Amino acid sequence: MKSSKPGIYRSRRKSISTETIAFMFASIIVIGLISLICYIWATQGDQPPILMVSRTQPIRQEQGQYYVPFTLKNLGGRTAESVQVIGELKHNERTLELGEQQIDFLSSHEEEEGAFIFSQDPRRGELTIRVASYKLP
Amino acid sequence: MRQIQLPTRQEWSAEIQDWLRGAAGGFLFGIPLLYTMEVWWIGSYVEPPLMLVVLAITSSIVFLLNRTDGFRQSSPDSSQQAAMDSLEAIAIGVLSVTAILFLLREIDATTPLSEALGKIVLEGMPFTIGVALARSILSGMRDQRGDAESDSSGKAEKIHHLANNHHNAALADLGATLVGAIFIAFSIAPTDEVPLLAAASSPSWLLSILIASLLISYCIVFVAGFTTQEHRLQQQGAFQHPLVETVMAYLVSLIAAALMLWIFHRLSLADPWTVWLERTLILGLPATIGGAAGRLAI
């Protein structure tokens, strides 16, 4: 059967098959993209940024310096810009060392990691790592 | 039952060629914006309604382009055909941009969905327009080449003589690669994006970028069905074999990328070799894409 009418089958396939399959594949991708955008539109809260800084890893010592890793997370609904993180080492209410860092952008539920470096052992003093400020984009 | 047989291999290859041609046009048009950090930043906070607006604007532009030309046909299309092609162009754009953003570590498994979508939609806009312009951009190069060959008999003889001379053909290819690489990568080399992307990459990702650069270059010149492909596949000689030519062109693009980075003080002789390697490979991707387009132009 197939060999008796090759021309008909060929022309039929050409007009329907590959282009239709490619079109269906493309439709799935584009509809999927639009659905995801609608999904985040529907689920994202209009909350302002809620910034949480935490220390999840231990302090490490390298060549006489003390590295204090931290993780910053935005639990709010909107993106924060220019997030300022401050690390302060105090002893007897006196500031021994102060570090500052700025994170350019932090989307909703995004996490960034970094570290403060002190020359004195932070375990012997009072260490505070906090978010000081941000602005809305 | 027999009517729903799968398409033949030939039909599949024609379809894949259409998509690859579209992607090639997209890379040429969209790669400078893929290396722009401001677009990544804006993408990270763009609101979902604006994403839909950007998609709608992109679709309209691509639809108009597909009505007159498009990545598939060279003749004007019916509205229905143009709409179908536009949807496919957006899909090609979205897939390619997602792959490159993954490769450049701008999107990874930890990236929030809203940020990833924002980046894909914004970066996808110029890329998709490039997909729709694929045939126009690179067919123009073919026409110029065709005109040159049919100019006069004396000139044709000269070109024929040159084509026979493998060394000249190889030199012409490498020269065209160099010009194309500089054309695309020159505007990226002085920016902060190259060191930034290099800092975020790791050896395995650099290796992936290297493989992607070679694959994209090979596809643009030898698979996408542009213009001089047949002629190129028939060329004989040590440097004219498709794989050898692709690797040689990649090396030329890397050298051009390293030189551009050095000229713009993004690399200095005091830097360790690993920094040279990382940054050169990062800039090597757009440089190779430019180089591939350059070879199509000769």
Side-chain angles (χ1 to χ4, degrees):
Chain A
M1 279 296 285
K2 197 178 173 185
S3 58
S4 62
K5 290 179 181 173
I8 293 172
Y9 280 113
R10 200 170 297 146
S11 63
R12 233 188 222 173
R13 276 190 213 136
K14 201 169 187 177
S15 59
I16 305 166
S17 322
T18 49
E19 277 198 30
T20 311
I21 294 168
F23 174 69
M24 282 164 65
F25 179 63
S27 305
I28 292 168
I29 290 165
V30 176
I31 290 168
L33 180 72
I34 293 171
S35 308
L36 285 174
I37 294 172
C38 292
Y39 168 76
I40 55 163
W41 191 3
T43 55
Q44 87 169 13
D46 203 25
Q47 281 177 299
I50 302 168
L51 302 164
M52 195 187 77
V53 66
S54 56
R55 281 173 47 204
T56 47
Q57 291 170 47
I59 296 169
R60 64 190 164 91
Q61 191 182 354
E62 306 278 353
Q63 295 176 340
Q65 303 269 47
Y66 297 88
Y67 290 70
V68 185
F70 69 89
T71 305
L72 176 69
K73 190 168 182 179
N74 179 4
L75 301 168
R78 298 185 64 184
T79 302
E81 188 183 339
S82 307
V83 183
Q84 187 193 23
V85 187
I86 291 177
E88 194 175 11
L89 180 61
K90 281 182 175 179
H91 190 66
N92 292 336
E93 296 301 310
R94 195 166 60 90
T95 303
L96 298 176
E97 287 183 57
L98 186 74
E100 189 190 316
Q101 211 171 92
Q102 192 160 305
I103 312 282
D104 291 332
F105 283 93
L106 203 65
S107 304
S108 171
H109 294 100
E110 188 176 15
E111 247 182 45
E112 288 281 351
E113 288 182 352
F116 283 105
I117 305 167
F118 297 101
S119 59
Q120 297 174 57
D121 191 350
R123 285 163 290 205
R124 289 186 189 164
E126 222 177 288
L127 176 67
T128 319
I129 296 180
R130 64 183 186 90
V131 182
S133 67
Y134 74 88
K135 67 174 182 178
L136 289 174
Chain B
M1 288 297 284
R2 285 191 172 220
Q3 285 181 340
I4 49 167
Q5 280 175 28
L6 287 171
T8 61
R9 211 174 149 179
Q10 215 172 6
E11 287 164 341
W12 272 120
S13 77
E15 189 63 37
I16 290 167
Q17 204 173 50
D18 281 348
W19 276 53
L20 284 174
R21 186 185 312 119
F27 277 116
L28 280 173
F29 210 75
I31 203 81
L33 213 65
L34 276 164
Y35 275 68
T36 305
M37 67 171 110
E38 283 76 9
V39 185
W40 311 332
W41 292 344
I42 298 165
S44 69
Y45 62 78
V46 65
E47 298 291 327
L50 190 60
M51 290 185 208
L52 292 175
V53 170
V54 170
L55 266 183
I57 294 170
T58 310
S59 317
S60 312
I61 296 170
V62 173
F63 176 76
L64 290 173
L65 288 172
N66 273 322
R67 282 281 284 167
T68 53
D69 198 347
F71 73 98
R72 204 190 288 277
Q73 287 87 6
S74 49
S75 54
D77 290 333
S78 67
S79 298
Q80 195 195 344
Q81 184 66 47
M84 282 174 76
D85 285 355
S86 304
L87 199 86
E88 287 183 41
I90 294 171
I92 295 168
V94 167
L95 285 178
S96 311
V97 160
T98 307
I100 293 292
L101 287 174
F102 255 106
L103 210 59
L104 297 178
R105 311 297 294 133
E106 278 311 308
I107 293 179
D108 58 29
T110 61
T111 310
L113 183 62
S114 58
E115 184 181 334
L117 287 173
K119 286 177 178 175
I120 291 168
V121 169
L122 286 189
E123 297 284 9
M125 190 179 186
F127 202 99
T128 306
I129 293 170
V131 173
L133 284 171
R135 203 176 263 281
S136 319
I137 300 171
L138 291 148
S139 292
M141 296 176 176
R142 171 187 54 184
D143 294 342
Q144 283 166 15
R145 189 177 180 278
D147 290 348
E149 280 187 1
S150 59
D151 242 9
S152 66
S153 60
K155 204 172 176 182
E157 248 182 62
K158 196 179 171 187
I159 288 169
H160 183 71
H161 173 71
L162 284 176
N164 283 337
N165 189 328
H166 304 319
H167 293 295
N168 282 346
L171 273 178
D173 277 349
L174 295 182
T177 303
L178 193 64
V179 172
I182 291 171
F183 186 76
I184 295 283
F186 206 74
S187 56
I188 301 171
T191 64
D192 279 337
E193 277 77 356
V194 178
L196 201 71
L197 289 169
S201 67
S202 63
S204 57
W205 285 104
L206 287 174
L207 211 58
S208 310
I209 289 174
L210 186 152
I211 293 166
S213 305
L214 287 168
L215 270 177
I216 294 170
S217 166
Y218 182 83
C219 284
I220 292 176
V221 180
F222 296 106
V223 187
F226 284 123
T227 65
T228 55
Q229 182 179 309
E230 287 302 317
H231 171 75
R232 288 190 162 273
L233 286 169
Q234 284 164 10
Q235 280 181 342
Q236 302 291 315
F239 295 111
Q240 303 304 132
H241 186 277
L243 288 178
V244 179
E245 187 183 315
T246 304
V247 174
M248 291 297 289
Y250 185 53
L251 290 177
V252 169
S253 304
L254 286 183
I255 292 167
L259 272 174
M260 282 184 270
L261 288 168
W262 178 73
I263 288 168
F264 286 116
H265 293 81
R266 291 284 145 194
L267 282 176
S268 73
L269 295 175
D271 288 328
W273 67 270
T274 48
V275 173
W276 277 79
L277 182 70
E278 285 169 0
R279 294 185 184 178
T280 304
L281 284 174
I282 296 279
L283 188 63
L285 176 63
T288 314
I289 293 170
R295 274 177 293 149
L296 289 184
I298 62 158

